[in-house]
Amino acid sequence: MTVRPSAEHLPPNRTGITDPERQDPMATLIPTRDELRDFFAEELELPADVVGYESDFETDLGVDSLATMEILVQLEKKYGIRLEESEFAGLTSVNAVHAFLADRLEAA
């Protein structure tokens, strides 16, 4: 039986991610656009083919402020990063979130 240390006892890796599943240096640290599209589709309870890479979250997908906050929390949990509400508010599509995360995770 392998015992994994809890995330609190692991130092952040180069991206600041403390999730033990994401500690593997060979793991892909930046989610793909498809992974993000699937994430948003799941969170919004929509088919993935409805969530386009350039679909505006509010206008095209009907995301309101409460859903935005819920998505923000889930995004932070899933990818082990901290996002400010003001940062996330300016991200209006899957492509925008992907570009933001790529910049953030590469800079860490």
Side-chain angles (χ1 to χ4, degrees):
M1 176 171 90
T2 303
V3 177
R4 294 185 126 175
S6 65
E8 303 87 64
H9 297 96
L10 291 173
N13 64 14
R14 68 178 182 80
T15 63
I17 296 173
T18 57
D19 180 353
E21 296 297 318
R22 310 267 303 169
Q23 288 288 336
D24 180 357
M26 300 307 287
T28 301
L29 300 174
I30 300 168
T32 66
R33 290 181 336 142
D34 287 342
E35 289 171 334
L36 283 173
R37 183 200 56 216
D38 293 346
F39 166 82
F40 281 101
E42 183 177 325
E43 290 300 313
L44 297 171
E45 299 178 352
L46 294 170
D49 61 343
V50 171
V51 180
Y53 298 118
E54 287 296 331
S55 296
D56 185 276
F57 294 139
E58 185 177 345
T59 306
D60 300 329
L61 303 175
V63 177
D64 62 16
S65 59
L66 179 58
T68 298
M69 291 309 301
E70 292 171 1
I71 290 169
L72 175 62
V73 169
Q74 293 307 314
L75 198 60
E76 288 178 330
K77 286 181 182 178
K78 183 168 180 85
Y79 296 107
I81 60 171
R82 180 81 178 117
L83 298 170
E84 296 299 322
E85 183 180 346
S86 60
E87 292 174 314
F88 190 69
L91 305 176
T92 60
S93 68
V94 170
N95 278 344
V97 172
H98 181 263
F100 178 83
L101 290 178
D103 287 345
R104 171 69 70 87
L105 295 175
E106 285 176 352

